[in-house]
Amino acid sequence: MGNPHTPYEAELLCAGAKPVAIMSPHDIDSTLQTKIDSGMIVKVGEEKFTKTYRIYHTPLVKEEAVKISRILEDYMNSKIEPGAEDVNKLVKFYKLSELDETAKDWAQILHSRMSVMKTALYERYKSPNMIAVLEGTIPSLEPLRIDEGMPMNDELEQAVKRGQLGASDFQTHDLVQVYAQSSKTAEGKELFARYYEVGVENYPPLDDYDSHKRIAQLLGFTDNDFAWFAGTRYQNPITKKIMFSTENIRKWARKEYLLSNVQNELSNR
């Protein structure tokens, strides 16, 4: 359902408001690097992994879809903004400017649409765009993860097998690192072990539910955060709609709350 601290992990970690964080090297800004160099924040582990994405599309746009998949593969691996010509291709292919959005926001808009589809897959319903591409009223879908264990839509896969839809795949290769406050390195090592299942045998065994709950605790999430992620609370359709629509403002408010708590603790010492 998303990380309640994204995209503020680095800021919260630097301020001491977050004990442990899972981050990409691209997330390390100059302030965080200074904290790492000083020893205040410690890298406790890193792991490389590959993600596979699929663009479902109608046969008519096969050539375009292949080009788009290559552009997105390069961008998602390098984190370097595509050139103006490639951005225009992306905007045109996915009609990213239809709702008065500007081309410079293409990545954020695309990510938002990908999140909507991912949520639909987890909730086991078809999003409007999934229905539209199956009916042929739109030419393609935004990229979807298809790795083992990820939710998939059988109708889309069957449409590919019948030749009704095509599929253009690409992969991203990520290096993810776990950082911790210098006073929380034990927690950081436990998080790395449990999250990536590397050395997890050195910790008390937990079932899947309790393991996920422990990971959430190590990351500084609240019990309410975990209940939302695990689907044990806030599942009323109206409540869920409100939660999704207010996600960004809630993340900002959480960040401000955590930072104010740190400032209050320092002033009371």
Side-chain angles (χ1 to χ4, degrees), residues 4 13 16 21 37 52 55 66 100 106 124 137-138 145 150 157 161 175 187-188 190 196-197 200 202 209 224 233 259:
L13 198 62
D37 294 340
T52 303
I55 297 176
V66 171
D100 295 325
W106 71 269
R124 299 185 182 280
T137 55
I138 64 171
R145 283 275 306 275
M150 297 300 295
E157 284 298 298
K161 291 178 181 178
L175 173 65
E187 288 87 343
E190 182 183 354
Y196 295 108
E197 298 184 347
V200 70
N202 297 322
Y209 179 86
N224 280 338
R233 291 189 65 187
L259 292 177

Side-chain angles (χ1 to χ4, degrees), residues 8-268:
Y8 307 109
E9 281 99 342
E11 183 178 355
L12 292 169
L13 198 62
C14 286
K18 186 173 174 66
V20 180
I22 299 173
M23 306 182 74
S24 160
H26 301 290
D27 299 323
I28 310 300
D29 59 20
S30 58
T31 303
L32 180 52
Q33 188 61 55
T34 298
K35 296 278 187 179
I36 294 169
D37 294 340
S38 71
M40 295 178 67
I41 293 174
V42 180
K43 182 174 75 173
V44 296
E46 64 181 26
E47 184 76 5
K48 293 180 180 179
F49 63 96
T50 298
K51 298 177 184 177
T52 303
Y53 291 86
R54 173 165 293 170
I55 297 176
Y56 294 96
H57 57 81
T58 61
L60 290 175
V61 296
K62 177 180 179 179
E63 188 174 332
E64 294 173 76
V66 171
K67 291 178 182 178
I68 291 299
S69 68
R70 298 289 80 83
I71 294 171
L72 289 174
E73 183 174 50
D74 289 343
Y75 168 69
M76 293 170 75
N77 279 309
S78 70
K79 306 301 181 186
I80 297 173
E81 181 80 8
E85 183 178 347
D86 284 342
V87 169
N88 286 335
K89 288 178 182 177
L90 286 162
V91 171
K92 182 179 179 181
F93 188 75
Y94 283 120
K95 294 181 170 45
L96 300 179
S97 58
E98 274 193 345
L99 302 177
D100 295 325
E101 295 140 330
T102 59
K104 69 178 181 180
D105 296 322
W106 71 269
Q108 182 179 359
I109 300 164
L110 184 62
H111 182 268
S112 176
R113 294 185 185 180
M114 289 168 64
S115 296
V116 169
M117 287 201 300
K118 182 173 72 173
T119 300
L121 290 174
Y122 274 112
E123 296 292 321
R124 299 185 182 280
Y125 68 85
K126 287 184 292 186
S127 71
N129 276 6
M130 289 182 195
I131 296 171
V133 79
L134 285 165
E135 293 177 346
T137 55
I138 64 171
S140 67
L141 288 179
E142 292 78 11
L144 285 169
R145 283 275 306 275
I146 60 167
D147 298 295
E148 184 178 354
M150 297 300 295
M152 296 184 72
N153 182 279
D154 287 340
E155 287 188 57
L156 292 172
E157 284 298 298
Q158 290 301 319
V160 172
K161 291 178 181 178
R162 292 193 304 270
Q164 176 187 346
L165 292 179
S168 180
D169 297 351
F170 65 92
Q171 291 186 322
T172 62
H173 308 283
D174 297 308
L175 173 65
V176 176
Q177 302 167 324
V178 176
Y179 288 89
Q181 303 291 334
S182 58
S183 61
K184 298 290 183 180
T185 54
E187 288 87 343
K189 290 177 181 178
E190 182 183 354
L191 172 70
F192 182 79
R194 292 195 184 280
Y195 194 85
Y196 295 108
E197 298 184 347
V198 178
V200 70
E201 66 275 3
N202 297 322
Y203 296 91
L206 299 172
D207 62 27
D208 283 348
Y209 179 86
D210 286 335
S211 177
H212 283 103
K213 188 171 185 179
R214 178 59 179 158
I215 288 170
Q217 291 170 342
L218 291 166
L219 284 167
F221 298 172
T222 67
D223 287 343
N224 280 338
D225 290 332
F226 182 71
W228 166 236
F229 302 152
T232 58
R233 291 189 65 187
Y234 313 112
Q235 297 305 295
N236 177 281
I238 296 176
T239 303
K240 288 174 72 173
K241 185 174 182 179
I242 293 171
M243 293 288 279
F244 282 122
S245 65
T246 60
E247 182 178 11
N248 289 336
I249 188 64
R250 287 188 295 103
K251 287 180 176 182
W252 175 83
R254 173 74 63 85
K255 183 258 297 187
E256 293 296 310
Y257 172 74
L258 291 173
L259 292 177
S260 68
N261 274 356
V262 172
Q263 293 167 356
N264 290 337
E265 288 176 10
L266 291 174
S267 64
N268 290 331

